[in-house]
Amino acid sequence: LLSFLSLTLQSEWGLTDMQTATMTACVFAGSLVGTLFFGFYGDHYGRRPAFLLACALISLFGLATAFATGYPTLVGFRFMVGFGVGGLVVPFDVFAEFLPTSHRGVKLLHIEYFWTAGSLATPLFAYLTLETSWRIFVVLCAVPCLISGIMGICLVPESPRWLLSMGRHEEAKSILRSAASANGIDPDSLFHANVTLRDEEVESSNFLDLLSPKWRRNTLFLWGTWLGYAIGYYGTILAVTRIFDEDAINDAQNDNDNGAPHFNYEAIFVSASAEIVGLMVVINTVDSLGRVPSQVMSYLFGGTLLFTLSILSTVTSNSALLTALSFFTRAFEMMGSCVTWVSTAEIYTTEVRTTGHASANAMGRTGAFFSPYLVGGNMSMLAVGSIMLAIHLFTAFCAHHLPETKGREIGHTSLDDDAIADENKDGNEMSFRYDDGNEANAKPPSSRPIV
């Protein structure tokens, strides 16, 4: 959306390059603030209300963008959209907290199909509406989030793990009974009167805890990974757009078509479709290769390909070659970013998961904020490619030092002293015990998956 909207309004409103870059950066600035807010809110007041509030803000201010009458108003509305986007880590964490170890990595990656669908729908919406009105375009882009919020009210429950960490055992059990019924399992056979859910470890939850000795190492390397990933991912999208549409504004000003820029929709759509390929590859490799190797490989290849693309774009106009390079570059960027999201949700324990994920996302938004100034300015593509390669090397370095979470219980990593014992479990995190007050009569937990 931002690539299309910024170029269109730069032409229609006569914006400077700095104003155009700021229009994009303000969304990431809002997301930076929002992710800090929603991390705290989700850990203290619940995952579900945080998710619904985020959807409401994105929908409301996304629709309001269509009624912006000037540049300051539009920047304010897009900042608030970004604030809502900062809450999108919450539903990801809710899903992670429901999933068993044996299926968590792959199932979390399935969410990214919807992200990719949005990436493909955006150029389609632009193709259908931009020549008529950019206001219709932004309304169409806000509708999916509105639908998501409505469906969330009806379908998304609170996280049982979060409820257990708050001491709300009966509410957690009620949600698990509903999950059992939805999966065709008799809830009474699993959750009768003598069943007690295992307590979640409860600790204080604030951002300073992330820098305590327990979490400091993981937090710092996660922040570095997210900072580099965001610059790389969004910078790649902007660089590809710049390479294929560098003359869009000039062409529009030379034609008699109300100054509307000409976008190479075919090249942009092909480039965006690469995310599907990257996602399919990582879904089939993340559990075999592991989280850390997948990230390191993806960021190294992504940075190298982007550097090559940047150099060749200055010496050749071979559209087929540049399109192929941009395709594989975006595929590797998608692979790395997907695994980073999964790994982050798995590293932290329940009491700090949303706070930790939000803080990492905040670092990502900080990187994304600077990406339009880095890629969209007057800097040569050779310089852009060189800087982006260095950033990708830094990202791969940080990812290499993250703990491996493949096959381990959520919140337990390869650095935990007790992780070996957890590997022998059957992967059912939402375990429970039978307790009738007599330890001699205790029964072992069921091995049947709950959700």
Side-chain angles (χ1 to χ4, degrees), residues 8 20 24 58 64 127 136 174 199 252 257 292 379 397 445 447:
T8 300
T20 304
T24 300
I58 297 172
Y127 174 77
I136 298 176
S174 176
D199 287 329
D257 57 1
V292 172
M379 189 180 299
F397 171 81
S447 61

Side-chain angles (χ1 to χ4, degrees), residues 192 194 432-446:
H192 54 72
N194 292 328
F432 49 89
R433 66 175 185 271
Y434 293 85
D435 185 3
D436 57 4
N438 185 349
E439 293 186 5
N441 295 329
K443 301 177 183 179
S446 169

Side-chain angles (χ1 to χ4, degrees), residues 78-136:
R78 298 315 294 177
F79 177 90
M80 290 306 300
V81 169
F83 186 89
V85 170
L88 294 186
V89 299
V90 178
F92 196 87
D93 291 340
V94 171
F95 195 32
E97 291 172 347
F98 260 100
L99 292 170
T101 299
S102 57
H103 297 84
R104 190 175 59 238
V106 171
K107 297 301 182 183
L108 283 174
L109 288 172
H110 284 168
I111 291 180
E112 302 298 340
Y113 278 120
F114 295 92
W115 175 278
T116 303
S119 297
L120 294 174
T122 302
L124 176 61
F125 290 160
Y127 174 77
L128 295 174
T129 62
L130 271 185
E131 291 187 3
T132 303
S133 172
W134 62 266
R135 299 180 189 274
I136 298 176

Side-chain angles (χ1 to χ4, degrees), residues 96-220:
E97 291 172 347
F98 260 100
L99 292 170
T101 299
S102 57
H103 297 84
R104 190 175 59 238
V106 171
K107 297 301 182 183
L108 283 174
L109 288 172
H110 284 168
I111 291 180
E112 302 298 340
Y113 278 120
F114 295 92
W115 175 278
T116 303
S119 297
L120 294 174
T122 302
L124 176 61
F125 290 160
Y127 174 77
L128 295 174
T129 62
L130 271 185
E131 291 187 3
T132 303
S133 172
W134 62 266
R135 299 180 189 274
I136 298 176
F137 171 63
V138 297
V139 168
L140 283 179
C141 290
V143 168
C145 190
L146 179 61
I147 296 174
S148 176
I150 294 173
M151 294 181 66
I153 294 174
C154 303
L155 301 176
V156 177
E158 184 55 85
S159 165
R161 282 183 175 273
W162 181 82
L163 290 171
L164 288 173
S165 71
M166 295 291 107
R168 295 159 62 175
H169 290 238
E170 291 305 314
E171 294 176 65
K173 186 183 293 187
S174 176
I175 291 174
L176 292 176
R177 287 177 61 88
S178 297
S181 297
N183 284 279
I185 301 173
D186 180 12
D188 292 329
S189 66
L190 293 179
F191 303 103
H192 54 72
N194 292 328
V195 171
T196 302
L197 296 177
R198 186 183 65 187
D199 287 329
E200 283 288 312
E201 182 181 1
V202 179
E203 298 179 3
S204 61
S205 176
N206 58 65
F207 287 103
L208 292 180
D209 290 335
L210 300 177
L211 296 176
S212 65
K214 177 179 179 180
W215 294 114
R216 185 185 301 122
R217 182 183 187 277
N218 290 347
T219 295
L220 293 178

Side-chain angles (χ1 to χ4, degrees), residues 6 19 62-63 65 92 101 107 113 212 251 259 296 314 322 363:
S6 60
Q19 287 176 316
L63 294 172
T65 301
F92 196 87
T101 299
K107 297 301 182 183
Y113 278 120
S212 65
D251 290 344
V296 172
T314 64
L322 296 178
M363 293 301 296

Side-chain angles (χ1 to χ4, degrees), residues 266-337:
E266 180 180 355
I268 294 174
F269 189 86
V270 169
S271 176
S273 66
E275 295 192 355
I276 297 178
V277 176
L279 181 56
M280 293 176 65
V281 171
V282 79
I283 283 177
N284 288 283
T285 59
V286 66
D287 283 332
S288 57
L289 293 179
R291 280 48 162 169
V292 172
S294 295
Q295 291 178 82
V296 172
M297 178 194 69
S298 299
Y299 292 128
L300 288 178
F301 276 103
T304 302
L305 286 170
L306 181 58
F307 177 70
T308 305
L309 175 64
S310 300
I311 293 177
L312 291 181
S313 68
T314 64
V315 298
T316 181
S317 58
N318 188 322
S319 179
L321 176 61
L322 296 178
T323 300
L325 281 173
S326 67
F327 181 92
F328 287 107
T329 300
R330 287 198 63 173
F332 279 109
E333 294 294 338
M334 184 66 175
M335 291 169 61
S337 64

Side-chain angles (χ1 to χ4, degrees), residues 25-41 57 79-87 207 358-359 361-366 369:
C26 73
V27 178
F28 297 122
S31 183
L32 170 61
V33 178
T35 199
L36 297 174
F37 168 80
F38 281 106
F40 175 87
Y41 190 91
L57 289 172
F79 177 90
M80 290 306 300
V81 169
F83 186 89
V85 170
F207 287 103
S359 70
N361 196 16
M363 293 301 296
R365 299 305 171 181
T366 301
F369 175 85

